Amino acid sequence: MIKINKGKRFQQAVDAVEEFLKKGKGKDQASHNSTEEKNRRNSSEERGKQSVGEEKHKANLSEGKPKKRVSSVSSERGSKSPLKRTYEQSPRKRGRPPKDEKDLTIPESSTVKRMMTGTMAGFKWPPSVSEPAVCYQAITKKLKVCEEETGSTSIQAADSTAINGSITPTDKKIGFLGLGLMGSGIVSNLLKMGHTVTVWNRTAEKCDLFIQEGARLGRTPAEVVSTCDITFACVSDPKAAKDLVLGPSGVLQGIRPGKCYVDMSTVDADTVTELAQVIVSRGGRFLEAPVSGNQQLSNDGMLVILAAGDRGLYEDCSSCFQAMGKTSFFLGEVGNAAKMMLIVNMVQGSFMATIAEGLTLAQVTGQSQQTLLDILNQGQLASIFLDQKCQNILQGNFKPDFYLKYIQKDLRLAIALGDSVNHPTPMAAAANEVYKRAKALDQSDNDMSAVYRAYIH
């Protein structure tokens, strides 16, 4: 099972299993040797007793005492050693540890097989063996499959095994367009997991690092699409997504029957539907797959992928999605993923604005912002997102992990989505105004947590 493309943590897990079995086998062998030595001593004592009995019998005969008839059955029983009687009476097989060593039970082969395929969560390490926390806890990602029927939309979640490196990369040639905060981490993980990747970016210098890691360079989007089987794209907004496909030397010029295009940008449903139509009109296959997460999650291969469109293409992208994310959802027809992604980011953006509002209100009323964070971290709102964004604000560190200008764009698009179905979005609308204020204060290229500065000016 150990191949070149297996990850370090997977190797550590295998080593831990083998070490555990080796220790168990050694202790079992020592116990078995001890048992055999004891049995040999018992057999010697038994033979000694038998010889003494025979000597007494001869003495009795010489003294004229009457002979005692010994049945053949009794004689046969008496000649058997305690070792044989023990193995006849007990169903336990030779080589298994005695009952007093239950603390070191070697797992059945099926258990080992499950561990080797990544589902280690169901296996409990015995107290006598130290837990290899790094590899054991890190590979407890389980296959999550859930289905929810809403009209014609079927939702399924697919597992990612990127964290333990047990991905078998597709033999298809992969293209990737756009090496921003999210795209860079995605491409890096595709390469780490053994995929063949050709990259293109509007600023060509960003490709250099990935060329060093083994990627190939594409001169234009059209060239990447024409030379690859599946091409992914991740750009900033609807305009950039359209220009990439419809512009000079764009994706559409490289599309031929059978070529596949996967747009991972967060855009509105109308934009992605238009792109799908022009790709399919040229005989191509289309999938939208926007991602939920930030730069750190992208680097860690822990994104959440929302996909919709060509179901067969979604399945063809399986190893790629496993490399870049922890979970992927298939949401049905084109447009559904765009809508869901905007709703997710609307909730996240509104929550961030509320966090900033609470911290500034604490400050102006003489309360400790750090104490507020400590209280929130002990309550039901506790989350990695809450803690990281509050720490950004308290430290004045707004290095972008998710650009403020992009979360404002997503709020704007979510509000428009609400308008299209006559659904009120007052919370998102209020948050959007705060982000617009922050943009006016030159916070666009800072992290979304810089919305805090809109409250203090």
Side-chain angles (χ1 to χ4, degrees), residues 131-178:
E131 293 187 3
V134 173
C135 57
Y136 165 58
Q137 294 176 2
I139 64 176
T140 54
K141 287 185 178 182
K142 292 184 178 180
L143 179 66
K144 177 185 177 185
V145 179
C146 58
E147 294 188 0
E148 177 181 322
E149 294 297 333
T150 307
S152 61
T153 302
S154 174
I155 301 177
Q156 290 188 335
D159 174 54
S160 166
T161 49
I163 197 165
N164 66 8
S166 60
I167 294 172
T168 301
T170 179
D171 57 1
K172 297 181 182 297
K173 295 179 181 178
I174 304 300
F176 203 95
L177 312 175

Side-chain angles (χ1 to χ4, degrees), residues 107-136:
E108 297 293 332
S109 59
S110 60
T111 304
V112 177
K113 185 176 180 180
R114 288 196 301 273
M115 290 190 293
M116 297 291 278
T117 54
T119 55
M120 297 247 333
F123 177 74
K124 303 296 183 181
W125 291 91
S128 60
V129 180
S130 60
E131 293 187 3
V134 173
C135 57
Y136 165 58

Side-chain angles (χ1 to χ4, degrees), residues 198-209:
T198 300
V199 296
W200 174 89
N201 191 70
R202 186 173 54 184
T203 306
E205 291 76 13
K206 285 189 176 182
C207 298
D208 294 342
L209 177 62

Side-chain angles (χ1 to χ4, degrees), residues 214-272:
R216 302 172 184 177
L217 178 64
R219 292 175 296 179
T220 65
E223 180 183 294
V224 174
V225 172
S226 63
T227 58
C228 295
D229 300 305
I230 303 175
T231 300
F232 294 85
C234 187
V235 292
S236 58
D237 54 33
K239 183 180 184 305
K242 288 182 179 180
D243 290 345
L244 187 62
V245 173
L246 305 173
S249 301
V251 168
L252 194 60
Q253 294 185 23
I255 292 292
R256 302 287 183 275
K259 294 293 183 180
C260 303
Y261 186 63
V262 182
D263 195 337
M264 307 190 79
S265 313
T266 300
V267 298
D268 58 285
D270 290 342
T271 295
V272 78

Side-chain angles (χ1 to χ4, degrees), residues 80 94 97 137 151 201 249 252 325 356 374 393 397 433:
K80 284 193 175 182
R94 182 184 300 272
Q137 294 176 2
N201 191 70
S249 301
L252 194 60
D374 292 341
I393 292 171
N397 175 19
E433 294 304 315

Side-chain angles (χ1 to χ4, degrees), residues 349 353 404-413 415 428-444 448 450-455:
L404 184 144
K405 61 185 177 183
Y406 293 159
I407 197 68
Q408 190 273 321
K409 174 261 299 182
D410 293 343
L411 281 167
R412 172 174 56 81
L413 294 176
I415 293 167
N432 187 45
E433 294 304 315
V434 182
Y435 282 101
K436 285 162 63 177
R437 168 67 176 161
K439 286 178 65 178
L441 296 170
D442 295 326
Q443 301 302 311
S444 291
M448 62 189 296
V451 69
Y452 171 83
R453 289 180 171 168
Y455 287 98

Side-chain angles (χ1 to χ4, degrees), residues 156 285 287 310-319 321 330:
Q156 290 188 335
R285 301 167 65 194
L287 186 76
D310 189 317
R311 180 59 186 260
L313 178 52
Y314 170 73
E315 293 172 354
D316 289 342
C317 293
S318 176
S319 73
F321 288 159
F330 184 76

